[in-house]
């Protein structure tokens, strides 16, 4: 899996040089880059440093990199969160478990793992599922249901579009937490993402590019530059 991630380097270069419009490049992330580089991610873990590398490569491919530009915002808020490799991996794990797992077996095991059971293997798909749910800030209740900010729901009986909607709103809180150290992004969890994306789609390609730069934290002045000199 790490080898496949490293092999995406040439894809980022080709994507950056491609003359295709920006929306097609974001589609290439979801339809080509993540399936190619993260094949098998549904059932296994990957270090956070690898996800950071993927975000950095995606930003370079989209020509959205630069001083101050946040890949968390660019890939997880300005665009649909599936453009973020970690969010894409979370959804892949949920879909895999829903399609392949026996509910009567995995739900009790998931509950035992969530409440500190240590006599189960640490490399199972159930353990991976639990870690991915926790990435969204979701918790597992004693009855086996999953709980988010809206309340409990069954991961296996709830329809997938609703789970995707819940995951998107939870991901907004995750991104807000990641950017909490930047003063300009206070209360980011209260932003209207769906309205913002709708507004960007009404702009011309040139204005949309400027709008994304304004939203993703890009530095336009030298105020944030840090310098040091030897004494």
């Amino acid at each position: 899996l790490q080898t496949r991630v490293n092999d995406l380097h040439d894809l980022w270069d080709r994507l950056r040089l491609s003359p295709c419009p920006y929306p097609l490049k974001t589609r290439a992330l979801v339809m080509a880059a993540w399936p190619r580089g993260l094949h098998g991610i549904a059932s296994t873990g990957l270090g956070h440093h690898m996800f950071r590398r993927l975000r950095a490569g995606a930003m370079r491919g989209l020509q959205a990199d630069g001083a101050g530009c946040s890949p968390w915002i660019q890939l997880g808020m300005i665009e649909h969160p599936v453009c973020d490799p970690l969010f894409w991996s979370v959804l892949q794990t949920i879909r895999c478990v829903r399609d392949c797992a026996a509910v009567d077996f995995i739900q009790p095991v998931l509950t035992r793992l969530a409440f500190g059971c240590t006599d189960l293997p640490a490399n199972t798909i159930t353990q991976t599922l639990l870690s991915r749910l926790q990435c969204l800030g979701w918790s597992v209740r004693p009855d086996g249901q999953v709980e988010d900010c809206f309340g409990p729901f069954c991961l296996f009986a709830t329809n997938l579009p609703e789970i995707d909607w819940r995951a998107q709103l939870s991901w907004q809180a995750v991104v807000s937490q990641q950017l909490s150290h930047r003063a300009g992004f206070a209360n980011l969890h209260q932003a209207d993402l769906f309205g913002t994306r709708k507004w960007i789609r009404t702009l011309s390609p040139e204005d949309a590019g400027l709008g994304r730069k304004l939203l993703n934290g890009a530095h336009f002045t030298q105020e944030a530059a840090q310098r040091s000199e030897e004494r």
Side-chain angles (χ1 to χ4, degrees):
L1 187 57
Q2 292 185 9
T3 301
R4 283 196 291 269
V5 170
N6 294 330
D7 287 343
L8 289 179
H9 182 77
D10 64 320
L11 178 62
W12 305 135
D13 293 336
R14 294 202 308 270
L15 192 62
R16 187 179 184 89
L17 295 173
S18 172
C20 70
Y22 177 87
L24 291 183
K25 290 189 176 185
T26 59
R27 188 180 302 177
L29 293 179
V30 182
M31 304 302 295
W34 304 152
R36 171 182 163 184
L38 296 173
H39 177 70
I41 193 65
S43 59
T44 189
L46 190 66
H48 287 289
H49 68 288
M50 300 299 291
F51 285 110
R52 286 195 296 269
R53 184 180 301 178
L54 287 170
R55 291 190 188 98
M59 292 289 282
R60 188 171 73 252
L62 295 176
Q63 297 188 29
D65 52 341
C69 297
S70 170
W72 285 96
I73 295 180
Q74 183 77 33
L75 303 177
M77 294 188 71
I78 297 176
E79 305 302 330
H80 192 289
V82 290
C83 292
D84 186 277
L86 181 54
F87 185 88
W88 189 87
S89 301
V90 170
L91 289 188
Q92 291 299 309
T93 300
I94 293 175
R95 290 193 180 104
C96 179
V97 170
R98 282 168 57 97
D99 292 342
C100 305
V103 180
D104 296 338
F105 173 78
I106 199 170
Q107 206 165 29
V109 175
L110 182 64
T111 305
R112 292 176 61 193
L113 286 172
F115 285 88
C117 179
T118 59
D119 59 350
L120 295 172
N123 59 346
T124 63
I125 191 173
T126 311
Q127 182 69 56
T128 302
L129 173 63
L130 178 60
S131 65
R132 297 279 157 76
L133 296 178
Q134 291 172 341
C135 286
L136 296 174
W138 292 358
S139 59
V140 180
R141 289 158 42 107
D143 59 1
Q145 288 195 321
V146 177
E147 187 167 9
D148 63 359
C149 59
F150 297 102
F153 64 97
C154 179
L155 191 65
F156 305 96
T158 305
N159 62 77
L160 197 56
E162 179 180 339
I163 292 178
D164 179 76
W165 178 78
R166 286 175 179 262
Q168 289 187 57
L169 295 181
S170 297
W171 190 252
Q172 182 175 352
V174 173
V175 174
S176 179
Q177 179 64 32
Q178 291 291 330
L179 275 295
S180 60
H181 63 285
R182 294 182 63 170
F185 293 122
N187 301 319
L188 194 61
H189 61 284
Q190 298 179 0
D192 182 2
L193 299 187
F194 302 102
T196 301
R197 293 172 193 150
K198 183 178 180 180
W199 167 71
I200 290 179
R201 287 195 295 269
T202 65
L203 302 177
S204 65
E206 295 79 9
D207 289 342
L210 291 174
R212 288 188 290 268
K213 278 289 185 181
L214 291 172
L215 292 171
N216 71 5
H219 294 158
F220 292 93
T221 66
Q222 295 295 322
E223 293 178 353
Q226 297 183 2
R227 300 179 179 86
S228 63
E229 59 182 21
E230 296 183 1
R231 292 184 180 276

